[in-house]
């Protein structure tokens, strides 16, 4: 087990720079998730930690030692890929023990380690099967077993669940999380799925175009995103963003956007008056209230316990999730009140959060 330090890491392919100075401190035993849109550099960063890509500039340390020039084999890292990369002609047991065999570990010890890992992963009965005789989830477990037997100081995962169906993903997500917690092995996990990031991570690193947008716990990123990018990336459905201004001209503190007037209980601290801002409010932070603002339902999506609505409110498109079953039809008027304490304000020019 070990800490990992990324200090101002840069990656260029020829003249094309794709990682522009990324710094992240990962503590021993942490479960860190790198999340961001396709092409933002997640896999590249992970491959640099594994030693599969050169580091153009900056320093990478593992366990306090700089490893920029250490070959992958010497880093004591195990990586699990999206496609599992199992050997089809080897049994489950042989697949799991293969790296140990290559490393010259005695046969009896390989057997013991494979048995132990198989037990943890619920694969004991499947050791003599071939990968082609396994379900997707079982294959995923074998790929993890192969990583576990090596008893590495770091686990790296690159989208390990993306080939599984939605239900199995949820199961495996919990399995990986609890396995990591019991082994206590420092883990870096890459995904573009923010739900996976939220549910699995101790700490999330949100990346965008080769840069880090924000690092923090799942709830920190959800409650206090640094900017519009993080606010829109974390949370589902996506946060509502309404450009406008805050003014006290007239009756009292009010958010104005075209025909939409939202009276505010007080002037939000840190928000300059009469200046272009973006109001952000999550779909979950609205409720039905007879004194609310009228919105017209456009799309109604009941999920059983909740109702998700797309509405138009004074010319603005709004997504709302109500924690109730609702008999609403397209075109119906729904009076809605936002939770003022949950409103976020961003500077319209820089997109940084100001309140
Ligand atoms: N060998 C390469 N040569 C040139 N450019 C590359 C190479 N590998 C990756 N890139 C570029 O680097 C950027 C980051 O790629 P990377 O694979 O790290 O993205 P990612 O965040 O893992 O995306 P995804 O979610 O699609 O897997 C992309 O713009 C990609 O085109
Ligand atoms: Mg990738």
């Amino acid at each position: 087990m070990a800490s990992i330090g990324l200090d101002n890491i840069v990656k260029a392919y020829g003249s094309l720079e794709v990682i522009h100075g990324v710094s992240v401190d990962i503590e021993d035993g942490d479960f860190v998730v790198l999340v961001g849109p396709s092409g933002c550099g997640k896999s590249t960063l992970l491959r640099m930690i594994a030693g599969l890509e050169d580091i153009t500039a900056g320093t990478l340390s593992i366990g306090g030692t700089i490893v920029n020039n250490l070959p992958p084999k010497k880093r004591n890292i195990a990586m699990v890929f999206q496609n599992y990369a199992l050997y089809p002609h080897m049994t489950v047991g042989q697949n799991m023990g293969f790296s140990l065999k290559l490393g010259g570990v005695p046969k009896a010890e390989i057997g013991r380690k494979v048995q132990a890992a198989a037990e943890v992963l619920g694969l004991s009965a499947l050791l003599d099967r071939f990968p082609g005789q396994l379900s997707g989830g079982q294959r995923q477990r074998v790929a993890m077993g192969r990583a576990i037997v090596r008893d590495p100081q770091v686990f790296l995962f690159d989208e390990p669940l993306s080939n599984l169906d939605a239900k199995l993903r949820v199961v495996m997500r919990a399995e990986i999380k609890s396995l990591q917690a019991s082994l206590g092995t420092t883990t870096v996990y890459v995904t573009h799925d923010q739900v996976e990031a939220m549910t699995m991570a101790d700490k999330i690193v949100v990346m965008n175009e080769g840069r880090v947008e924000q690092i923090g716990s799942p709830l920190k990123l959800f409650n206090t995103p640094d900017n519009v990018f993080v606010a829109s990336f974390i949370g589902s459905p996506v946060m509502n963003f309404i450009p406008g201004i805050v003014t006290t001209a007239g009756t009292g503190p009010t958010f104005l956007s075209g025909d939409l007037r939202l009276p505010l209980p007080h002037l939000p601290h840190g928000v300059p008056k009469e200046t272009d801002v973006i109001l952000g409010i999550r779909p979950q932070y609205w409720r039905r209230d007879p004194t609310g603002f009228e919105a017209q339902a456009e799309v109604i999506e009941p999920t059983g316990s909740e109702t998700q609505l797309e509405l138009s409110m004074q010319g603005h498109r709004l997504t709302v999730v109500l924690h109730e079953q609702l008999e609403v039809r397209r075109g119906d008027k729904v009076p809605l009140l936002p939770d003022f304490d949950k409103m976020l304000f961003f500077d319209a020019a820089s997109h940084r959060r100001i309140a």
Side-chain angles (χ1 to χ4, degrees):
M1 284 180 264
S3 60
I4 304 172
L6 306 178
D7 187 13
N8 218 357
I9 298 280
V10 172
K11 176 69 187 178
Y13 291 105
S15 60
L16 177 69
E17 192 176 291
V18 295
I19 305 269
H20 314 287
V22 163
S23 299
V24 186
D25 286 320
I26 300 173
E27 280 165 44
D28 186 11
D30 258 0
F31 196 116
V32 169
V33 176
L34 303 180
V35 70
S38 184
C40 72
K42 306 179 294 293
S43 295
T44 303
L45 207 54
L46 204 66
R47 292 169 58 78
M48 285 195 281
I49 298 174
L52 303 172
E53 293 282 357
D54 292 339
I55 296 167
T56 307
T59 52
L60 168 68
S61 53
I62 299 178
T65 309
I66 294 178
V67 297
N68 280 41
N69 297 316
L70 203 64
K73 271 189 189 154
K74 298 208 167 151
R75 294 192 188 189
N76 194 11
I77 280 176
M79 190 153 168
V80 178
F81 298 91
Q82 173 179 351
N83 58 11
Y84 323 144
L86 300 179
Y87 300 107
H89 60 286
M90 289 186 198
T91 64
V92 167
Q94 286 164 344
N95 262 288
M96 282 169 66
F98 189 59
S99 67
L100 299 180
K101 192 175 166 189
L102 283 186
V105 177
K107 210 168 169 187
E109 193 182 334
I110 296 178
R112 266 199 309 278
K113 288 194 163 168
V114 168
Q115 288 287 355
E119 198 142 313
V120 172
L121 293 161
L123 291 171
S124 300
L126 304 177
L127 285 174
D128 293 328
R129 291 224 198 145
F130 289 92
Q133 301 168 311
L134 300 176
S135 72
Q138 288 164 341
R139 270 179 229 165
Q140 179 55 48
R141 279 188 208 113
V142 177
M144 288 179 35
R146 224 171 24 178
I148 292 172
V149 294
R150 293 175 48 198
D151 194 18
Q153 51 177 353
V154 174
F155 283 135
L156 302 177
F157 291 94
D158 195 352
E159 312 232 13
L161 305 183
S162 50
N163 283 338
L164 305 179
D165 67 53
K167 220 170 188 171
L168 193 52
R169 260 204 314 266
V170 175
V171 174
M172 292 302 297
R173 185 158 100 191
E175 275 189 23
I176 293 178
K177 176 78 184 151
S178 82
L179 189 67
Q180 191 272 344
S182 64
L183 297 174
T185 310
T186 312
T187 298
V188 186
Y189 185 106
V190 161
T191 179
H192 60 265
D193 179 349
Q194 61 88 24
V195 178
E196 227 167 86
M198 288 294 281
T199 51
M200 297 180 86
D202 297 322
K203 192 150 89 177
I204 298 178
V205 179
V206 181
M207 292 182 63
N208 182 28
E209 297 184 345
R211 290 193 172 78
V212 171
E213 293 278 354
Q214 191 174 0
I215 301 175
S217 69
L219 289 184
K220 181 182 172 196
L221 298 192
F222 188 84
N223 293 331
T224 52
D226 278 350
N227 53 51
V228 169
F229 181 85
V230 175
S232 66
F233 197 81
I234 299 288
S236 172
V238 175
M239 186 184 284
N240 297 291
F241 295 103
I242 309 173
I245 59 164
V246 171
T247 178
T248 46
T251 48
T254 306
F255 175 78
L256 277 184
S257 178
D259 291 337
L260 179 69
R261 298 179 59 91
L262 292 178
L264 303 172
H266 51 80
L267 200 59
H269 182 74
V271 179
K273 285 190 281 183
E274 321 293 342
T275 304
D276 286 338
V277 295
I278 299 169
L279 166 64
I281 180 144
R282 294 200 184 276
Q284 293 82 356
Y285 296 151
W286 296 80
R287 65 176 192 279
R288 236 162 25 102
D289 189 300
T291 68
F293 308 98
E294 210 160 73
Q296 185 167 325
E298 308 275 358
V299 181
I300 302 103
E301 297 184 341
T303 63
S305 57
E306 298 176 337
T307 309
Q308 182 173 327
L309 300 168
E310 302 285 332
L311 313 110
S312 76
M313 182 187 267
Q314 303 288 358
H316 295 278
R317 190 88 178 171
L318 197 65
T319 306
V320 170
V321 175
L322 300 172
H323 301 279
E324 58 181 329
Q325 291 184 356
L326 206 55
E327 294 291 332
V328 174
R329 285 201 204 107
R330 186 182 153 80
D332 285 356
K333 298 271 197 300
V334 185
L336 294 169
L337 262 191
D339 183 343
F340 292 101
D341 292 339
K342 295 294 193 334
M343 286 180 169
L344 301 177
F345 290 89
F346 302 89
D347 180 78
S350 69
H351 281 195
R352 302 210 69 76
R353 187 170 56 81
I354 46 178

